[in-house]
Amino acid sequence: MSWERTDAYDQYGRWSEDDVRVRANRKGSRPRTKQRPDHEDAIDGFVLTVDRGRYTCLVEEGHKKRERTVIATTAREMGRKSVVVGDRVSLVGDVSGEPGTLARIVRVAERSTLLRRSADDSDRVERIIVANADQLCVVVAAAQPEPRPRLIDRYLVAAYDAGISPIVMITKTDLASPKPIRELVASLEVPVFESALGSDPDPEFRAMLTDHITVMVGHSGVGKSTLVNELVPKAGRATGHVNVVTGRGRHTSSSSVALRVEDASGADGWIIDTPGVRSFGLGHIDSDAVFMAFPGIAEIVAECPRGCTHRADAPDCELDEAVADGRLDAVGAARVPSLRRLLGSMDPDDAAPGAQQDAEQPPE
């Protein structure tokens, strides 16, 4: 078959393929690859503070001459992975720490612990407070504001659930006796320390902080920032006062920060100061974990019938028998109804809209 000239040739014959315009790919002419660099040259860092997408990290920790802070942001390959105070991260880019420089966080190391809380007891969305802490220091005032036993219990539940060892610091002992708080935790084998306004922190307490990462938590106004400033004189944490009418403290710390603390021998550790709270939701914690913070109660709950909810309306709950026959002392018996209310507030079907947590109720 011989080739024949057609009308199409007459119309387009004067054009060549070089005259064809190809529209460029709007996403770039070079296709993206899913392979990411290994960042083998990344250096390790410890996250000290987080501020609106900027992370202050300590690099070359322990090397006095080379130790420095670096400002960083998260790299694209991090995606939506969160970075919090206490994280161990890998950094690339400009890690000189010079003013105006910015490094990139490309990896977050596996976390040993996570201290979390939720907005309220029925909220299953958890908020990570700090990572990798191995101690939790519950700071509670002997007075001004009045101690809130149920909030202390919540901190203990959160600590044990996270695998973090708790300790208690009672502040303002010059204003009231610390005895009621000591009695509250006496059966839990939790170390307890005391502090008075204007006095230096107990050397034993300072020694307790060395070789540990300790997260400091407490109700607004209990003197947590004052205690941190005494432990770390250069910390400069803002302090406030307690309203004499409401008995509530004013929030002074707006963000968490990790600070190095040293004892008399020069041994050091880290404390993480967190903003004061008036509530501490436990919606992210399994209901069975609520009793684990209280050994005496946990042993009694273990004897309950299979499927027992341990609530006030639960038939044949061993907790009722233990209160009646005296197996639980006065402190333990008073704790039972509080834990039952906590279980009820953790159930979304039972939690009334706008219901307040025990931590926000008048002191018990």
Side-chain angles (χ1 to χ4, degrees):
M1 179 178 178
S2 61
W3 179 83
E4 296 182 1
R5 180 169 174 165
T6 64
D7 293 340
Y9 180 84
D10 292 336
Q11 184 175 0
Y12 301 108
R14 66 181 181 275
W15 302 100
S16 70
E17 62 183 12
D18 293 332
D19 297 311
V20 178
R21 295 181 62 185
V22 179
R23 181 175 297 176
N25 186 345
R26 288 182 296 176
K27 295 184 178 180
S29 59
R30 182 178 180 180
R32 292 185 61 185
T33 175
K34 293 183 179 180
Q35 295 181 344
R36 298 295 183 214
D38 293 332
H39 297 300
E40 294 181 356
D41 59 339
I43 67 172
D44 296 332
F46 177 57
V47 179
L48 301 177
T49 63
V50 178
D51 182 20
R52 292 170 292 184
R54 292 294 184 266
Y55 306 87
T56 302
C57 307
L58 183 71
V59 301
E60 301 207 55
E61 180 182 354
H63 299 280
K64 298 298 183 182
K65 293 184 178 180
R66 302 196 305 271
E67 188 178 86
R68 61 196 181 278
T69 57
V70 172
I71 306 299
T73 186
T74 53
R76 177 175 294 181
E77 55 260 44
M78 287 285 293
R80 295 182 178 272
K81 187 175 180 63
S82 64
V83 179
V84 298
V85 174
D87 268 329
R88 299 286 179 176
V89 297
S90 297
L91 298 158
V92 299
D94 194 332
V95 293
S96 65
E98 295 295 327
T101 60
L102 189 66
R104 302 194 317 277
I105 297 175
V106 294
R107 283 189 299 270
V108 175
E110 183 178 356
R111 294 158 169 165
S112 57
T113 64
L114 279 177
L115 180 64
R116 305 163 294 169
R117 76 181 182 102
S118 55
D120 56 58
D121 290 335
S122 60
D123 186 2
R124 301 305 183 206
V125 179
E126 63 187 40
R127 277 79 168 169
I128 300 175
I129 301 175
V130 297
N132 299 317
D134 59 342
Q135 279 191 155
L136 181 141
C137 179
V138 180
V139 183
V140 55
Q144 295 184 13
E146 291 298 313
R148 302 196 172 186
R150 305 292 77 86
L151 180 57
I152 298 173
D153 285 352
R154 286 172 176 271
Y155 286 135
L156 296 177
V157 169
Y160 284 115
D161 179 72
I164 302 174
S165 301
I167 58 179
V168 174
M169 166 57 80
I170 308 173
T171 61
K172 305 183 184 181
T173 54
D174 54 313
L175 302 179
S177 172
K179 184 178 179 181
I181 303 173
R182 283 188 170 275
E183 291 177 346
L184 181 69
V185 298
S187 63
L188 307 180
E189 298 183 357
V190 174
V192 180
F193 301 91
E194 299 178 12
S195 173
L197 290 174
S199 65
D200 294 331
D202 186 342
E204 292 186 8
F205 174 68
R206 188 183 288 272
M208 192 83 178
L209 304 177
T210 59
D211 299 323
H212 292 284
I213 298 178
T214 305
V215 53
M216 315 286 283
V217 296
H219 188 280
S220 303
V222 297
K224 183 164 52 62
S225 294
T226 299
L227 176 64
V228 169
N229 288 337
E230 291 172 348
L231 291 168
V232 187
K234 296 181 180 180
R237 299 293 275 176
T239 59
H241 65 279
V242 177
N243 189 302
V244 295
V245 176
T246 65
R248 289 186 171 185
R250 181 171 63 88
H251 293 291
T252 54
S253 299
S254 59
S255 61
S256 299
V257 58
L259 301 162
R260 180 182 275 122
V261 60
E262 296 183 352
D263 65 8
S265 67
D268 63 10
W270 290 95
I271 56 174
I272 301 178
D273 186 23
T274 62
V277 299
R278 294 195 180 104
S279 63
F280 199 91
L282 298 177
H284 61 285
I285 291 180
D286 188 85
S287 58
D288 291 338
V290 170
F291 299 103
M292 295 302 103
F294 315 104
I297 294 178
E299 292 176 4
I300 293 171
V301 166
E303 299 176 9
C304 284
R306 182 186 298 272
C308 181
T309 63
H310 316 301
R311 306 273 282 275
D313 58 352
D316 303 321
C317 180
E318 195 66 22
L319 287 173
D320 296 317
E321 295 293 331
V323 172
D325 62 24
R327 277 181 287 164
L328 284 175
D329 59 15
V331 174
R335 187 172 268 135
V336 169
S338 172
L339 295 181
R340 282 176 163 171
R341 287 197 300 273
L342 174 57
L343 289 176
S345 63
M346 292 171 65
D347 188 342
D349 297 330
D350 291 350
Q356 296 293 310
Q357 300 182 32
D358 283 337
E360 296 181 310
Q361 297 297 329
E364 301 181 32

